[in-house]
Amino acid sequence: MCTVVSGSRVGHHPTLTSVNYELTLSPRSVPSTPCLSVQPPRMCIVFALRTSAHRYVTPALIYSQTQKNTEPIILEYLEHGDTGEAILAFDEIPYGSKRFMIAVIAVEIAMDHKPSHREMTSVLVSDLYGRVVTQKDIGRAFDMLLKNLSDLILDTPDAPTVLGNFIARAIADDCLPPKFVQSYKDKVECDHARQALLRADTLLSMKHGLVRLDNVWGVGGGLRPVKYLVRQMNLLLQEYLSSGDLHEAQRCLMDLEVPHFHHELVYEAVVMVIEAISGQVEEAMCRLLKILSSAIIITPDLMERGFLRVYEDMPDICLDVPLAYTVLERFVERCHKAGFLTDPVIKKMPSSLPDRDANLDLPVIGSQAQHETSALANYATEAGSTRLGYPMSCYKYRVCNQGAVHKTT
C-alpha cells in the first residue's frame, strides 16, 4: 500500500488521496524539514505532517480500516454497556468524513444479536448523537443500510423489520427528523427497503407511538418483573418434561437473559419433582440440571442456593405433599450421584421425624396414584404399630386419593 498526501501550499491541511507505504507530497507542499512517521505493514497508517506553521494533520481512515477498528469497540460495548467508554474509544480514531460508519457497523452487528443487544445499540446511537456523530451522519448511515438490505437479509431474514425498528427508534430519540421516512416515499425501488420504511412508518403512526417505541425491542433481562420470570421458568420446565428436549430447554433459559436468577429454575425444578412424586420426573430433572451445571449455565453457587431455598420452604411444602421429605431425600441423593451437587448441600438437607421415616420404603414408580397409595400405606402401618400401641389386626387402613389415612374397624 502507499500513502499519498497532497496539499495546495505550506500551512494548509493535506488530504488523503490513496494508500501505500510510500509517502508522496506535492512539490508546493513539501516543507523544508518535514517530520514523518510511518507504521509497519498491516497496521493503521498514522502519520503527522508538521508544516511551517507547526500544525499536525492526521488523515482519515479508509473503509476497511474503519470497520476493523470499530467492530471491537462495539462488541466490547455490548459486553459492558457503558456508552461513555465507547465514546472515548471512538474519539481516539480519526474517522474524518466516515463517522457515519459507526452507526452503520453498530446496526449491522446488532442485527445478528438478540433483542437486548439491539436495545443497547439504539441507546448507543442516541448517546453518540451530538457528541460523535451528527444528525446528517445518522441519516447517511440509515440510507446506506437501506441500500444494503439485499445483502443483510441473507444473514438476517427479518432484516427489513429490524431496520424499520431502528429507524423508528432513532426518530423517537430525536436522532433523525420525522420527515426522514416520508422523504423516501415513492423513491425506493428495493422491496426490502420499502418494507423497512413501511415498518418504521407503521410504528410511528401508532397511538402514542413515540412513547411505545422506548420498548420497541421488548423488555429484556433483569428489567422483567420477577413474577413473569418465574412463570416463564415454570413453563420452560413443563415443556421440557413434555418434549424431553434438553437443547431447547437450555436455549429458552439463555434467552431469558437473567443468569443471576438461575437459582429460581433450580428451585422450581426441585419443587416440581416433589409435587410430581414420579421417578420419571426425577430422572428428567436430574438430567437437565446436570447438563446446565456442566455447561456452567447454572453455577455451583446458584445450584446450591436453589436447593437451600427448597430446604427452607419444606415445612410449607410438606403441608401439600406429605411425602415431600422422602422425595427430596431421594432426589438429592440422585443429584449427588450425578456429580453436580456438593457435599455441603447434602449435609444441610433437612429431615422430618426421622424416627417415622427411617423404615419408609418408597418405590420408584411412574404412576403418582400408585406411588402415593403404596407409600402412605407403609406410613400408616408404621404409625399404627408404633404410636397407637394396638395390634395391626384390629385395624384396616384405607388410603384416600387426597392422601389422608382413615381407619375402619
Side-chain angles (χ1 to χ4, degrees), residues 109-126:
I109 292 175
M111 284 187 175
D112 295 331
H113 285 68
K114 48 194 175 183
S116 61
H117 286 166
R118 294 171 182 173
E119 169 65 22
M120 293 174 66
T121 302
S122 291
V123 173
L124 177 63
V125 172
S126 177

Side-chain angles (χ1 to χ4, degrees), residues 163-182:
L163 183 57
N165 289 355
F166 271 114
I167 293 174
R169 175 62 178 270
I171 294 175
D173 291 340
D174 293 326
C175 299
L176 285 175
K179 64 180 181 180
F180 178 84
V181 176
Q182 298 301 324

Side-chain angles (χ1 to χ4, degrees), residues 244-356:
D245 192 337
L246 288 168
H247 295 291
E248 179 65 14
Q250 181 175 331
R251 184 191 66 79
C252 291
L253 179 60
M254 295 294 291
D255 286 347
L256 290 177
E257 302 179 57
V258 282
H260 59 283
F261 199 58
H262 285 176
H263 61 84
E264 178 65 29
L265 181 83
V266 179
Y267 175 87
E268 294 293 335
V270 177
V271 171
M272 197 172 289
V273 166
I274 294 174
E275 293 177 346
I277 315 183
S278 166
Q280 294 176 355
V281 174
E282 291 179 28
E283 183 179 358
M285 288 300 187
C286 181
R287 192 184 310 117
L288 175 62
L289 293 179
K290 181 179 180 180
I291 289 292
L292 296 176
S293 176
S294 300
I296 318 182
I297 295 176
I298 298 181
T299 58
D301 58 319
L302 292 178
M303 183 72 72
E304 179 178 350
R305 184 177 178 185
F307 273 90
L308 293 181
R309 285 181 55 201
V310 176
Y311 294 173
E312 294 173 358
D313 292 346
M314 282 303 291
D316 295 328
I317 295 175
C318 69
L319 296 178
D320 299 323
V321 185
L323 299 174
Y325 284 97
T326 304
V327 178
L328 175 65
E329 181 179 357
R330 190 175 65 202
F331 183 66
V332 168
E333 182 180 357
R334 182 191 292 267
C335 294
H336 183 56
K337 290 180 179 179
F340 63 88
L341 209 56
T342 59
D343 291 334
V345 180
I346 306 295
K347 295 178 181 179
K348 294 178 182 178
M349 184 179 62
S351 61
S352 175
L353 298 178
D355 59 321
R356 297 199 306 175

